[in-house]
């Protein structure tokens, strides 16, 4: 009965920031961090690397776990915080490694392999390695990062194609559906949050009954402390962190999204954010 | 066994989906067929009904052959209010600016009332019922009889070349088993070859084996995909001429000794291969006949042809190297 989810939100916010750095690097903004539950240490990060590598299998989970390839590590001790539900490929990969647990932000409607399209993580027909995959922490932020990537594609096309999709500063989010059982929901998010399970509109917050904004979740020192990030995706500045936080709505105390907050969107052409 | 009237080709066994007696089609069966189609964005335009013939000619002469997405299962015209709405071509083929230029160039005087994108099913539906359901939900589709029978009757392989490539694959596997230290344990040994059809001839691009490593990092399919990517990176770095850029494993052909696991099958979907040939099934962990039929699933964004090589010479040779099918191992 873990009713204070602040730790999970902190870790997921770190992943979201890694995803933003990937976006600045012209990659799809999906990312993860890997935490060792025995030591509490973040031991790896990963981000989508398919564009740079020309390899469609280089998803965030692969980049993160490949670092352990020649190490003696007990995968059962590892928890992955990933901004988007693992795809079918990654869900199977993590199962074959014997991962401890997955937390994800938003569901993956096209390829989701841990509950949305298939349930590779706990399909009893696939042999060993079943694991729990729990979604919904920072769901809207995970979606908003992807939207910032897709509008950028449209805007860099010679002639913008679908204008209505560009208005992501006001666009509402799809319904919040949890793709795991009510028992798992209670066990992971606490009994008091159970009205959210079938609500569809409200979002999880770190402390029940209290809203949040991404600003509150991470600071410059916590993102600078992430392993591999600055070496691989460049220096992190306070301006970058502020720009990142400005991409998102905040969440009210009752779990509703504050669509009235003016947010920014990322513009690749200008290489900075525009109002 | 019933003899089908459709079997105009001697090498085609429609009932069992077998070609040349050696390639057995692996596909989703009726109850695995999804009601949810894979969608593709296509351009439509609204025109005055009197201009329909000009648009028919435009589609026939300029928008059908070069389009990478086949739209033969899509009805091209539908009446919308006072207009005729016509499906022109896929978004993958052309952007809006180029499309409008083409229309102006080839159909001068045609009044285009609007141009836009809609999503339609990318692949022909498998049954008449689904055709009707998708037609009312997305856009009118044509039902011309079982599309798989049509496919089997028209698909052609240079079967001696196919046999040659499967033998090359088995040679590689045999070499690797000989080289590996412990040749008594052959569980988990597999090999994968990726080839490409260039000007109607199949060229080998890469071949990789897994000599029994149990970790998913070392599956031969994943290694082969990585090597295609690395070769393309290298090529782009060192070649100045622009002789077309490779895109993932787009429409490549993958030959592998075993039914790939779920991870590897989805990696092949992400890599957009055109065709897969494998020899042994791998229950319980395979991602095709054993589970899910990845590669032939509506709803995912890509499909590829799946064939199981059942030619006895090659099947027996593989069995002599790694044992018979149905061991519970990850490949």
């Amino acid at each position: 009965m873990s009713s204070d989810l602040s730790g999970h939100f902190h870790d997921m916010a770190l992943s979201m920031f890694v995803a933003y750095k990937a976006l600045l690097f012209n990659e799809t903004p999906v990312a993860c961090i890997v935490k060792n539950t025995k030591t509490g240490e973040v031991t790896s990060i990963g981000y989508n690397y398919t564009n740079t590598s020309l390899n469609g299998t280089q998803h965030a989970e692969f980049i993160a776990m490949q670092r352990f390839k020649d190490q003696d590590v007990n995968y059962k001790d590892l928890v992955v915080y990933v901004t988007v539900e693992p795809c079918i490929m990654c869900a199977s990969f993590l199962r074959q490694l014997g991962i401890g647990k997955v937390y994800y932000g938003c569901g993956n409607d096209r390829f989701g392999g841990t509950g949305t399209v298939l349930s590779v993580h706990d399909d009893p027909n696939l042999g060993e390695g079943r694991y729990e995959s729990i979604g919904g922490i920072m769901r809207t932020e995970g979606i908003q990062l992807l939207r910032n990537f897709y509008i950028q594609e449209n805007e860099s096309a010679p002639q913008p194609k679908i204008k209505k999709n560009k208005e992501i500063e006001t666009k509402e989010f799809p319904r919040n559906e949890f793709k795991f059982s009510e028992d798992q929901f209670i066990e992971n998010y606490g009994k008091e949050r159970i009205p959210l399970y079938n609500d569809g509109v409200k979002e999880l917050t770190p402390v029940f009954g209290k809203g949040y904004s991404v600003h509150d979740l991470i600071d410059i020192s916590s993102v600078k402390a992430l392993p591999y990030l600055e070496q691989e995706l460049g220096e992190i500045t306070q301006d970058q962190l502020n720009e990142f936080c400005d991409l998102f709505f905040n969440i009210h105390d009752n779990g509703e999204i504050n669509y009235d907050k003016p947010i920014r969107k990322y513009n690749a052409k200008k290489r900075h954010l525009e109002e | 066994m019933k003899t089908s009237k459709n079997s105009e080709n001697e090498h085609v066994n429609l009932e069992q989906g077998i070609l040349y007696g050696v390639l057995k089609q692996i596909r989703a069966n009726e109850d695995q067929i999804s009601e949810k189609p894979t969608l593709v964005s296509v351009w439509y335009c609204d025109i005055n009904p009197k201009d329909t013939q000009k648009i028919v000619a435009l589609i026939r002469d300029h928008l059908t052959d070069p389009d990478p997405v086949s739209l033969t299962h899509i009805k091209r015209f539908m009446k919308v209010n006072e207009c005729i709405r016509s499906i022109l071509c896929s978004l993958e083929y052309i952007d809006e600016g180029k499309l409008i230029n083409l229309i102006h160039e080839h159909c001068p005087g045609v009044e285009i009332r609007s141009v836009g994108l809609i999503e339609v099913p990318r692949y022909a539906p498998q049954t008449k019922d689904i055709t009707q359901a998708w037609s009312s939900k997305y856009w009118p589709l044509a039902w011309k009889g079982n599309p798989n029978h049509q496919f089997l009757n028209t698909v052609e392989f240079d079967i001696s070349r196919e046999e040659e490539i499967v033998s090359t694959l088995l040679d590689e596997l045999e070499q690797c088993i000989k080289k590996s230290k412990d040749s008594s344990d052959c569980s988990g040994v597999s090999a994968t070859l990726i080839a490409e059809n260039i000007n109607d001839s199949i060229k080998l691009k890469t071949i990789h084996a897994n000599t029994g490593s149990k970790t998913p990092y070392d599956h031969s399919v994943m290694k082969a995909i990585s090597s295609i990517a690395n070769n393309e990176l290298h090529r782009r770095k060192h070649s100045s001429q622009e002789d077309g850029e490779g895109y993932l494993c787009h429409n490549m052909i993958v030959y592998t000794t075993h039914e790939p696991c779920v991870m590897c099958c989805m990696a092949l979907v992400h890599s957009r291969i055109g065709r897969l040939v494998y020899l042994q099934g791998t229950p319980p962990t395979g991602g095709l006949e054993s589970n899910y039929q990845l590669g032939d699933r509506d709803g995912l964004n890509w499909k590829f042809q799946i064939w199981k090589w059942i030619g006895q010479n090659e099947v027996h040779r593989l069995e002599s190297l790694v044992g018979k099918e149905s061991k519970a191992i990850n490949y």
Side-chain angles (χ1 to χ4, degrees), chain B residues 75-110:
Chain B
K75 289 189 179 169
R76 290 288 187 161
F77 297 94
M78 181 166 79
K79 199 160 188 292
V80 176
N81 302 325
E82 298 305 302
C83 294
I84 294 288
R85 178 164 292 182
S86 169
I87 302 294
L88 298 173
C89 60
S90 73
L91 170 62
E92 260 175 66
Y93 170 48
I94 206 168
D95 67 40
E96 186 171 2
K98 288 198 187 118
L99 178 67
I100 287 170
N101 287 343
L102 260 183
I103 298 173
H104 287 320
E105 186 183 339
H106 298 288
C107 303
V110 170

Side-chain angles (χ1 to χ4, degrees), chain B residues 121-147:
Chain B
R122 182 176 187 124
Y123 303 100
Q126 295 297 319
T127 69
K128 204 171 178 182
D129 286 349
I130 295 178
T131 306
Q132 280 166 358
W134 290 358
S135 291
S136 53
K137 189 164 180 196
Y138 300 98
W139 177 269
L141 305 178
W143 172 253
K144 301 169 189 163
N146 187 325

Side-chain angles (χ1 to χ4, degrees), chain B residues 133-201:
Chain B
W134 290 358
S135 291
S136 53
K137 189 164 180 196
Y138 300 98
W139 177 269
L141 305 178
W143 172 253
K144 301 169 189 163
N146 187 325
N148 193 51
H149 287 186
Q150 293 169 20
F151 165 72
L152 288 171
N153 274 321
T154 50
V155 69
E156 278 177 29
F157 295 113
D158 175 349
I159 207 66
S160 59
R161 179 66 177 142
E162 294 291 316
E163 222 171 86
E164 220 172 85
I165 297 173
V166 172
S167 294
T168 307
L169 177 70
L170 293 174
D171 291 345
E172 172 75 13
L173 186 72
E174 193 170 347
Q175 286 300 315
C176 286
I177 291 173
K178 275 186 189 152
K179 268 188 264 168
S180 70
K181 286 172 202 141
D182 180 14
S183 54
S184 61
D185 178 19
C186 291
S187 63
V189 177
S190 69
T192 297
L193 183 160
I194 299 185
E196 191 170 23
N197 196 336
I198 301 167
N199 303 327
D200 274 335
S201 103

Side-chain angles (χ1 to χ4, degrees), chain B residues 300-318:
Chain B
L300 300 182
N301 70 336
W302 187 256
K303 288 189 180 188
F304 52 82
Q305 291 178 31
I306 308 164
W307 300 95
K308 187 171 186 174
W309 185 272
I310 55 170
Q312 286 305 298
N313 291 343
E314 293 77 14
V315 168
H316 287 150
R317 187 173 166 206
L318 179 61

Side-chain angles (χ1 to χ4, degrees), chain A residues 129-144:
Chain A
R130 293 166 75 175
Y131 60 91
E132 196 172 32
S133 180
I134 296 295
I137 293 173
M138 302 189 75
R139 178 186 82 105
T140 60
E141 290 85 349
I143 296 172
Q144 196 66 14

